[in-house]
Amino acid sequence: METKNSSAVNEYFGYFIPCVLMAVATQSANIIDKIFIGNFVNPVEMGAANACMPVSQFVYTLSVLIGVGASAAISVLKGQKKTDDCNQVLGASILWSVFFGFLFLGFLVICSDCVLAFLLKDGVIQELVKAYYLIFIFMVPFRLVSAVVQNISRADGFPKIGSVAVIVSNCCNVFFNWLFMGPMGLGVRGAALGTLICFVVECAVNLSYFLRRGRTFRLRLNGSLSKTGNIFTMGLPACIGTGLITFKLVILNNLAEKLNGETGLVVMAVCLSCLSLASMFSAGANNSMVPLAGKYFGAKDWDNFKGVIRLSAVSLFLFTTIVVILLEIFAGAFAKLHGVQDEAEVLLCIQSIRIYAVSLYGMCFTFFMIYLLPIIGKKLISTVMSICEGFVFIVPLCFVFSGSMGLKGIWVAFIVTEILTAGVYFAGNKIKKR
């Protein structure tokens, strides 16, 4: 006889495998682009493309605010059997994703010179950044709408749609990166064009959710904006954390370039690929947890709620450990995979990767709590953690440690930041209990 808890376990893994595959494919796009640019063009242009990551990160931030917020809100409402409210949340999330997508694209086009000056100060490298940027930015509305629909379809019990979307789109990304940077010789522009096509394809596949006959939710636009508060309140803590990464990346790219010139940008690009690697499993565990934890919390099914949390935490710890061990052992191979061949650069990459890898434990714990806490009504602690981890701790510490340790000091600052952020969580819980 199947117990309620074993049912939750089965349901969790029904989400976990597609979500991990989806996250693997999504994060692989960042790594694949860098590998192709580093090997088909040169590592310097890889660093230039990496300078556009804050733009991509900001789009992801908007998708977290709307998509994760809508998914969490819908999951709780679904547990409370409020189907009409779920339909309104769906309508509001689509309206906001389209609005913000085209608004941000318009800003990036009109203010391109100001944005480029903000991304990187170096004039020579900035020309390479501009070549990538002017094509890359047109992915904005496609990526935002795609991510929001992906979150909604997962909350409705269709996690495989998102998995198929990112796997198909990344296969296209690999093919077009090879075509545009190899035979066609388009260089960094080819990488941007391949990424743009990747997100158009992903958006098209995700939108197939609305053709599914078995879906629970229906698109209701009339009166849907009344649910905006539900969406933004649920998504705000995670949004703040990811949003501050945008500004953190700009500051760290410029700091790395100031410390070690082009080499600093190359090392930064390789180390951020390590973050993408760890984020595959972090995103998979968190995206599996949110719809199920929200549903069980809304239904006050505490046994299954606790079971889902435990499964998410254990799976996240195990996969993070595997990633950290692999990075510690194969740091040099990981750098060379990105086209880094100069021995001095490889050595600096190895040192940086091995220090930075340790901080990935803290990063995974922090984002696990940031996603979980709003569901259980602890939005304030989640928000404070986001702000501290995303900016308040990391930026000053990077300047302090890099002043005495050079580029390696940036990665030491990441470790200290995660320790301090964990301290914020435990201190916040003690205060709340009192």
Side-chain angles (χ1 to χ4, degrees), residues 289-324:
M289 174 190 65
V290 168
L292 293 176
K295 183 179 76 171
Y296 290 131
F297 186 81
K300 298 183 179 180
D301 184 350
W302 307 123
D303 287 341
N304 280 330
F305 174 76
K306 291 176 182 177
V308 167
I309 302 306
R310 281 194 295 268
L311 277 171
S312 300
V314 170
S315 57
L316 183 57
F317 175 77
L318 290 176
F319 281 113
T320 302
T321 298
I322 292 170
V323 170
V324 170

Side-chain angles (χ1 to χ4, degrees), residues 164-193:
V164 171
V166 291
I167 291 170
V168 170
S169 66
N170 277 282
C171 287
C172 292
N173 192 30
V174 170
F175 172 74
F176 286 112
N177 269 332
W178 167 80
L179 178 66
F180 295 145
M181 283 188 279
M184 295 183 68
L186 296 180
V188 73
R189 291 181 178 85
L193 190 56

Side-chain angles (χ1 to χ4, degrees), residues 199-280:
F199 283 116
V200 171
V201 170
E202 181 183 317
C203 185
V205 176
N206 274 314
L207 287 172
S208 70
Y209 162 72
F210 291 104
L211 303 177
R212 296 294 178 110
R213 290 183 179 179
R215 63 191 173 95
T216 305
F217 310 134
R218 295 293 182 266
L219 185 63
R220 181 177 169 184
L221 300 178
N222 185 31
S224 63
L225 292 180
S226 64
K227 299 299 179 185
T228 299
N230 298 55
I231 296 171
F232 289 178
T233 301
M234 285 290 196
L236 185 61
C239 164
I240 291 173
T242 54
L244 289 174
I245 292 174
T246 304
F247 300 102
K248 179 171 69 178
L249 288 174
V250 173
I251 293 170
L252 296 188
N253 277 331
N254 280 281
L255 179 59
E257 191 272 334
K258 182 179 179 180
L259 291 169
N260 287 78
E262 294 177 354
T263 299
L265 289 175
V266 171
V267 175
M268 180 65 68
V270 174
C271 282
L272 289 178
S273 282
C274 299
L275 175 61
S276 296
L277 199 61
S279 295
M280 293 177 183

Side-chain angles (χ1 to χ4, degrees), residues 89-112:
V89 171
L90 171 59
S93 66
I94 296 299
L95 288 175
W96 283 116
S97 64
V98 172
F99 173 75
F100 281 124
F102 284 100
L103 180 68
F104 188 46
L105 174 60
F107 169 78
L108 292 174
V109 171
I110 295 169
C111 304
S112 59

Side-chain angles (χ1 to χ4, degrees), residues 75-147:
S75 298
V76 173
L77 292 168
K78 186 179 179 182
Q80 297 170 345
K81 303 189 184 303
K82 296 180 178 179
T83 304
D84 192 53
D85 287 345
C86 291
N87 295 338
Q88 287 186 316
V89 171
L90 171 59
S93 66
I94 296 299
L95 288 175
W96 283 116
S97 64
V98 172
F99 173 75
F100 281 124
F102 284 100
L103 180 68
F104 188 46
L105 174 60
F107 169 78
L108 292 174
V109 171
I110 295 169
C111 304
S112 59
D113 289 340
C114 294
V115 174
L116 286 166
F118 175 71
L119 291 175
L120 199 66
K121 306 302 180 189
D122 187 281
V124 177
I125 300 177
Q126 196 179 80
E127 287 302 310
L128 297 174
V129 176
K130 185 175 183 179
Y132 186 86
Y133 170 93
L134 290 176
I135 298 172
F136 174 74
I137 57 174
F138 287 94
M139 63 85 193
V140 169
F142 297 103
R143 184 176 186 187
L144 185 53
V145 172
S146 178

Side-chain angles (χ1 to χ4, degrees), residues 43 51 99 154 261 264 284 298 343 414:
F99 173 75
R154 184 166 55 246
E343 287 303 316
F414 273 89

